[in-house]
């Protein structure tokens, strides 16, 4: 079977990914911040609605992979929490 070239998949419990394609309108955390499960880490606009993106786990923001006003794709990793 042929493998399709794709964006490298970063996965794991602490990877926060976009549920829908959209525009990052606000990043509410910075690298090194402690977050709790369910905390809003960023907001994105998708299909004319603002969606709150929440932390899936308790931890520390290790890396932010996107910027405000950046368009993102579905399943694109946005940030990593460890």
């Amino acid at each position: 079977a042929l493998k399709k070239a794709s964006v490298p998949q970063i996965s794991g419990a602490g990877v926060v990914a976009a549920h829908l394609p959209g525009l990052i309108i606000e990043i509410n955390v910075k690298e090194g911040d402690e977050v709790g499960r369910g905390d809003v880490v960023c907001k994105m606009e998708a299909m004319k609605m603002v969606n709150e993106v929440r932390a899936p786990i308790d931890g520390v923001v290790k890396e932010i992979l996107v910027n405000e006003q950046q368009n993102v794709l579905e399943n694109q990793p946005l940030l990593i929490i460890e």
Side-chain angles (χ1 to χ4, degrees):
L2 289 173
K3 284 189 175 174
K4 286 190 302 197
S6 64
V7 177
Q9 284 299 330
I10 304 171
S11 62
V15 175
V16 181
H19 302 302
L20 297 161
L23 176 71
I24 301 298
I25 52 176
E26 188 178 310
I27 297 174
N28 300 70
V29 294
K30 56 188 184 301
E31 290 177 10
D33 282 1
E34 281 190 37
V35 293
R37 184 170 181 233
D39 288 356
V40 176
V41 292
C42 68
K43 292 181 183 164
M44 61 182 287
E45 186 178 297
M47 302 189 307
K48 303 274 185 253
M49 289 175 52
V50 174
N51 296 281
E52 292 181 331
V53 180
R54 296 178 184 273
I57 59 169
D58 295 342
V60 175
V61 178
K62 180 184 168 218
E63 195 175 351
I64 297 173
L65 306 169
V66 293
N67 297 304
E68 291 183 359
Q69 300 306 311
Q70 179 177 334
N71 285 299
V72 295
L73 303 171
E74 186 172 359
N75 297 323
Q76 180 173 340
L78 306 177
L79 54 108
I80 298 172
I81 298 168
E82 278 192 340

